[in-house]
Amino acid sequence: MEHATEPNVDVVVVGAGQAGLSAAYHLRRAGYRPERDFVVLDRAPRAGGAWQYRWPSLTFGRVHGVHDLPGMPLRGAAPERPSSEVVGEYFEEYELAHDLRVHRPVAVTAVREGDGDRLRVETSEGVWNTWALINATGTWARPFLPRYPGQRSFRGRQTHTAWYRGPQDFAGERVIVVGGGTSAVQHLLEIAEVATATTWVTRRPPVFLEGPFDERRGREAVARVAERVRVGLPPQSVVSVTGLPMTEAMQRARERGVLRRLPMFDRITPDGAVWADGHTVAADSILWATGFRADLGHLSPLGLREHGGGIRLDGTRAVRDPRVHLLGYGPSASTVGANRFGRTAVNELREWLLVPSA
Ligand SMILES: Cc1cc2nc3c(=O)[nH]c(=O)nc-3n(C[C@H](O)[C@H](O)[C@H](O)COP(=O)(O)OP(=O)(O)OC[C@H]3O[C@@H](n4cnc5c(N)ncnc54)[C@H](O)[C@@H]3O)c2cc1C
């Protein structure tokens, strides 16, 4: 039941990371007015999307490249500054420059069928009713930790990329790093400098890419993910489609043996891990760099998921509900993709909103 005090808008954008801000920018350019025609809601306390939570040693010079938001380049960022600060400041300036008026902290708790074909967006700060929704909630709040036999018996510490604060927490320890992506490699490179021993464990042999991760490689990776979400499968991990671009620091670490990798262990013991052939490694800490999952629980009342577990998309539009667009999911889950698909989502929604409902 709709109440007189509940605001009505054309579009609610959930999330003010790269994807949500890109969508908000294109809404503005298309003539939608903030507060009256659209709102952007974000759960985080500050500007910066998930970047605000990234560990201090992930300096701007170490990230693969944060693509500029549309209409305002990021210039002159010092490579030694934490990317959390650089990107936080950039997003804050961007929101002001484009008058995007992000509401924060506002957590969207559920999106459900509302009155007269509208969607009802329930949040920590009340309800918004809307004709359309652009969901850009990212993955940061859903770290993924796989389960292995014996895991609970481990006497040491288990942690995840999401809670990593820097190598200093592992000084003098024997550390097992699990995961085949860029985060795992960055953790290893840092931790190897201060730990007594590091062991790298991945499910599949890592594929190192010599040469730059250029536009052609980027396009090929995006096409592979797009094909999966087109048929309703969950998107794959980033590294399984991009490989690991080799940097100079990685080259040096490889020469020192830091990037020598073992297959997954069979089980965890109170003191470390054991492989099927009886090989054991003692550990004080296990760091799970095993990625994140899309943060979409608030959309579950809409029943968008397929049997394959994913949400089928046509471009950015949910096939099961044309009022809903997903950004930062599947092929748009990179700072480049978030930008590009922000425009796609707004163009499509604009046409769709012009058609009167039957
Ligand atoms: C360690 C690490 C390094 C990375 N480095 C790079 C890189 O160098 N280059 C690159 O292209 N990509 C990189 N990525 C991937 C990167 O995260 C994405 O490309 C991009 O930043 C994600 O943007 P987003 O807008 O989709 O999500 P986010 O930045 O996660 O933004 C989502 C926003 O939604 C909000 N939100 C979530 N749920 C709700 C809710 N229920 N209600 C209200 N608000 C909500 C959050 O508060 C957040 O502000 C990296 C990822 C990780 C983990």
Side-chain angles (χ1 to χ4, degrees):
M1 184 66 183
E2 202 175 297
H3 297 279
T5 50
E6 292 173 3
N8 288 305
V9 286
D10 288 342
V11 186
V12 168
V13 179
V14 190
Q18 186 97 11
L21 292 184
S22 162
Y25 168 86
H26 288 294
L27 283 167
R28 286 287 274 145
R29 278 192 47 134
Y32 290 83
R33 296 159 299 176
E35 308 295 359
R36 300 185 62 156
D37 304 323
F38 78 93
V39 283
V40 186
L41 311 176
D42 193 284
R43 174 166 71 190
R46 287 182 302 278
W51 289 98
Q52 68 194 275
Y53 303 116
R54 299 217 168 118
W55 54 98
S57 56
L58 186 65
T59 54
F60 195 62
R62 282 189 178 173
V63 298
H64 280 321
V66 175
H67 205 265
D68 289 341
L69 283 161
M72 191 174 121
L74 167 54
R75 294 255 185 270
E80 65 280 5
R81 287 190 69 208
S83 45
S84 55
E85 286 177 20
V86 172
V87 180
E89 288 164 16
Y90 172 48
F91 281 17
E92 193 176 352
E93 268 177 51
Y94 188 86
E95 290 175 17
L96 280 172
H98 297 286
D99 191 24
L100 301 179
R101 304 189 212 172
V102 177
H103 291 240
R104 61 165 63 88
V106 178
V108 172
T109 48
V111 182
R112 49 182 102 245
E113 206 53 62
D115 290 340
D117 278 346
R118 270 185 286 200
L119 292 164
R120 179 180 163 82
V121 181
E122 297 172 1
T123 83
S124 54
E125 303 296 317
V127 171
W128 273 265
N129 295 293
T130 183
W131 294 114
L133 185 101
I134 296 180
N135 192 84
T137 45
T139 59
W140 189 255
R142 282 198 61 209
F144 171 69
L145 281 98
R147 293 276 162 258
Y148 277 88
Q151 198 165 4
R152 280 170 170 276
S153 72
F154 184 59
R155 277 197 287 257
R157 179 168 49 122
Q158 295 186 61
T159 185
H160 186 276
T161 300
W163 308 301
Y164 180 78
R165 300 311 305 153
Q168 65 282 359
D169 292 349
F170 300 88
E173 290 192 350
R174 297 157 302 173
V175 185
I176 297 176
V177 177
V178 187
T182 299
S183 299
V185 170
Q186 289 185 345
H187 297 329
L188 269 169
L189 262 54
E190 292 186 350
I191 293 171
E193 301 289 326
V194 298
T196 310
T198 57
T199 305
W200 187 25
V201 181
T202 72
R203 263 189 312 167
R204 283 181 286 272
V207 177
F208 292 104
L209 277 186
E210 310 293 335
F213 186 76
D214 56 16
E215 208 168 320
R216 183 183 59 81
R217 280 178 165 163
R219 269 203 308 273
E220 286 168 2
V222 167
R224 280 194 287 276
V225 184
E227 181 50 27
R228 279 181 69 86
V229 296
R230 206 180 55 73
V231 297
L233 293 170
Q236 284 161 300
S237 70
V238 176
V239 69
S240 65
V241 288
T242 62
L244 284 166
M246 182 60 84
T247 63
E248 272 176 36
M250 283 162 69
Q251 196 76 50
R252 286 195 299 275
R254 186 154 73 167
E255 282 156 18
R256 284 187 293 128
V258 172
L259 296 183
R260 203 173 301 127
R261 157 270 177 193
L262 293 177
M264 276 317 296
F265 38 69
D266 224 35
R267 66 196 157 81
I268 297 172
T269 65
D271 305 308
V274 187
W275 279 255
D277 62 2
H279 177 69
T280 61
V281 167
D284 303 298
S285 282
I286 301 174
L287 171 53
W288 298 93
T290 38
F292 297 81
R293 295 289 181 263
D295 192 359
L296 301 173
H298 53 287
L299 300 182
S300 53
L302 298 176
L304 303 178
R305 285 201 188 274
E306 305 292 330
H307 290 308
I311 296 178
R312 242 174 92 205
L313 296 186
D314 181 1
T316 55
R317 178 172 51 82
V319 170
R320 285 180 181 246
D321 192 329
R323 297 168 297 183
V324 179
H325 283 246
L326 298 192
L327 280 184
Y329 178 82
S332 62
S334 70
T335 57
V336 175
N339 266 11
R340 206 173 95 209
F341 287 95
R343 186 172 48 214
T344 312
V346 169
N347 283 345
E348 269 207 32
L349 272 180
R350 209 169 141 207
E351 277 180 30
W352 186 80
L353 285 164
L354 291 175
V355 179
S357 55

